[in-house]
Amino acid sequence: MLPSSTTDPTLDLIEQRRIECNESLFSPETVGSLNKLNRSAPYCKGTWDGWLCWPDTQGGQYSFAKCPDFIAGFDVNRFAHKYCEPDGEWFKHPSTNKTWSNYTTCVNVDEFEWRRQVTLIYEIGYSISLIALLLSLAILFYFRSSLKCARITLHINLFVSFAANNSLWLIWYTAVLNDTEVLSHNGPFCRLLHIILHYFLLTNYSWMLCEGFYLHTVLVSAFISEKKLVKWLIVTGWAMPAVMINIYAILRHFCGNVEDTIQCWMDESAYTNVLVAPVCISMLLNLLFLCNIVRVVLLKLKAPAGNSGAPPSRTILQAFRATLLLVPLLGLQYMLTPFRPPPGSAYERTYETMSAFTASFQGLCVATLFCFLNGEVLAQIKRRWGNVLFRPRANSYTATQVSPVRLQFVRYSPQKPGEVKV
């Protein structure tokens, strides 16, 4: 097809391709090729089928075109074809009695099945993580009166962030990626879903940064108001990602090319770095915080009593260990991004499978380390369980145990001869 200088780059990509197709069908080159056809024999006139442009084709022959690059799951290196009947009419599908182009050859079946398996890993992982996060939130809210402290407040915000992100990913996979009509329509709903989804993705890492900063501040700074600190962290944890996602949305919508604004923004673009950069910065800062925390903890544990203040509490050390484990885990997929193998590489499937596991099961790891293995939470659960098991019943027999008491009698009468007073 010939490039058109009259098309508007802001138009939808498919509409732009349609305009280019109509112009190319009446271009001098197309007219010249038409003269080469056998005019005495029937031929099919060029047409636009909604995805591709098909030129004039001699009757009884096939016309081939490269598969479109804007349909999810299509291999752009393959070819679709359209058959021109001997009577000069495009082939009509028997079930619909409408002209039909064969795009089944555009799908690499092996690749398609593998992509479905990777998608299934994501869906299963996000579902399990969501269940674990909701259970964790239920536990923390149930024991909120006895677990009321700054650290638990941060945990709750972290869980809410991950739960919202996992829920939106499940909606994205079921309502958008599995529906080619939604992708091709590229409506405002799916683009808004993309923006909100990535906002909560950023909040995951911002709240992990808040967790690391809180631990660092509590252990390093001797005098700090935890209430003020938590208020500032709550504002930072939710507001900073909002600033970054607005910058990303504005740049991609107003400054991106046509390829950046199709298919519900599912494909990565140059503006994706606006999201990757703060994530990498937060992971780097968290690693620096944790390294300094390790230094401070070791100094306090080795120092003589009274020289460096009280040693860190057991709960603080547990939270530190959980954060120390989570930071590399949550940043693994971004740490491996520079080493991502090119499409078609022998290691591509291994890389994508690892990414699916590490990304989708992050919520489960967060809930396990910060709730299910949290010493304070486990203590409250054991205490509550013990109260339920050993709660006395109103009509049950209650045994009363009387402790023996040694009684001493003091005589106030005068002491008799030979008598020893005790």
Side-chain angles (χ1 to χ4, degrees):
M1 288 184 291
L2 294 175
S4 170
S5 59
T6 61
T7 55
D8 185 353
T10 61
L11 291 175
D12 181 78
L13 180 61
I14 297 178
E15 178 66 16
Q16 182 175 338
R17 297 280 177 88
R18 184 189 68 81
I19 296 174
E20 291 175 351
C21 176
N22 291 335
E23 292 179 352
S24 66
L25 290 177
F26 296 99
S27 65
E29 290 81 359
T30 305
V31 175
S33 64
L34 179 60
N35 294 331
K36 296 179 182 178
L37 293 176
N38 186 0
R39 288 179 174 270
S40 60
Y43 68 90
C44 298
K45 292 184 177 181
T47 184
W48 165 260
D49 68 351
W51 282 354
L52 287 178
C53 188
W54 301 95
D56 301 312
T57 304
Q58 195 75 56
Q61 294 184 2
Y62 285 92
S63 179
F64 294 88
K66 272 203 166 186
C67 297
D69 56 357
F70 50 82
I71 301 299
F74 278 12
D75 187 348
V76 295
N77 297 318
R78 291 172 171 253
F79 288 86
H81 61 268
K82 193 175 183 69
Y83 180 62
C84 181
E85 299 280 6
D87 60 355
E89 295 289 336
W90 290 111
F91 171 76
K92 294 182 179 180
H93 199 279
S95 60
T96 62
N97 199 31
K98 295 181 179 180
T99 57
W100 181 72
S101 306
N102 192 345
Y103 289 96
T104 58
T105 54
C106 292
V107 179
N108 186 333
V109 178
D110 294 337
E111 181 81 8
F112 179 73
E113 289 297 327
W114 171 66
R115 292 290 178 186
R116 284 184 59 186
Q117 292 175 4
V118 172
T119 302
L120 184 62
I121 293 174
Y122 277 112
E123 293 176 350
I124 293 175
Y126 283 128
S127 299
I128 295 175
S129 295
L130 180 60
I131 294 172
L133 289 165
L134 293 178
L135 181 59
S136 299
L137 286 170
I139 292 173
L140 294 182
F141 278 111
Y142 183 79
F143 295 109
R144 63 185 180 275
S145 58
S146 53
L147 291 174
K148 192 173 183 180
C149 65
R151 189 173 56 261
I152 299 299
T153 302
L154 297 181
H155 292 348
I156 290 176
N157 282 273
L158 179 66
F159 293 165
V160 170
S161 170
F162 270 91
N165 182 247
N166 289 1
S167 302
L168 291 171
W169 273 119
L170 290 174
I171 296 174
W172 177 263
Y173 279 108
T174 55
V176 178
L177 287 189
N178 291 337
D179 194 335
T180 56
E181 185 177 349
V182 173
L183 288 172
S184 60
H185 181 64
N186 193 33
F189 162 75
C190 68
R191 283 177 287 173
L192 180 62
L193 178 62
H194 170 92
I195 294 172
I196 298 176
L197 186 155
H198 283 80
Y199 163 73
F200 281 104
L201 180 63
L202 289 180
T203 60
N204 292 349
Y205 293 93
S206 68
W207 274 107
M208 278 304 303
L209 179 61
C210 291
E211 292 271 0
F213 181 75
Y214 171 81
L215 291 176
H216 180 271
T217 306
V218 170
L219 287 174
V220 175
S221 301
F223 305 99
I224 186 75
S225 173
E226 290 196 22
K227 290 185 177 181
K228 291 183 178 180
L229 177 61
V230 169
K231 289 180 180 179
W232 279 107
L233 290 179
I234 289 176
V235 173
T236 303
W238 295 112
M240 287 303 296
V243 173
M244 300 308 301
I245 199 65
N246 276 287
I247 295 174
Y248 163 76
I250 291 171
L251 288 175
R252 185 157 186 172
H253 180 74
F254 293 103
C255 303
N257 54 31
V258 177
E259 284 74 15
D260 290 334
T261 57
I262 63 172
Q263 292 187 322
C264 302
W265 298 10
M266 64 172 289
D267 296 323
E268 292 186 358
S269 72
Y271 302 106
T272 307
N273 294 326
V274 177
L275 305 180
V276 175
V279 170
C280 294
I281 292 173
S282 68
M283 301 306 301
L284 178 60
L285 290 175
N286 245 340
L287 288 175
L288 293 177
F289 289 151
L290 293 178
C291 289
N292 196 40
I293 290 173
V294 171
R295 182 187 65 83
V296 172
V297 169
L298 292 178
L299 287 176
K300 288 191 175 185
L301 293 177
K302 291 181 180 179
N307 289 354
S308 61
S313 65
R314 181 181 176 184
T315 55
I316 290 291
L317 291 177
Q318 288 178 343
F320 163 66
R321 286 195 294 266
T323 308
L324 187 63
L325 290 173
L326 276 178
V327 166
L329 176 65
L330 298 186
L332 181 62
Q333 62 187 114
Y334 289 97
M335 294 176 185
L336 296 178
T337 298
F339 308 101
R340 184 173 189 170
S345 172
Y347 302 101
E348 180 190 11
R349 297 195 175 189
T350 303
Y351 177 89
E352 294 293 339
T353 304
M354 288 181 57
S355 297
F357 274 105
T358 56
S360 61
F361 285 97
Q362 285 178 356
L364 176 63
C365 296
V366 169
T368 301
L369 293 173
F370 279 141
C371 182
F372 301 145
L373 297 182
N374 187 308
E376 294 172 287
V377 175
L378 292 177
Q380 292 297 327
I381 293 176
K382 289 179 182 178
R383 186 178 296 110
R384 180 63 179 173
W385 183 251
N387 292 338
V388 171
L389 289 181
F390 300 105
R391 178 185 299 170
R393 298 179 181 177
N395 298 327
S396 64
Y397 172 76
T398 303
T400 303
Q401 184 177 1
V402 179
S403 299
V405 179
R406 184 181 177 181
L407 301 178
Q408 292 182 347
F409 297 93
V410 180
R411 182 181 298 173
Y412 292 97
S413 60
Q415 185 176 359
K416 295 180 180 179
E419 185 179 30
V420 178
K421 188 176 180 179
V422 296

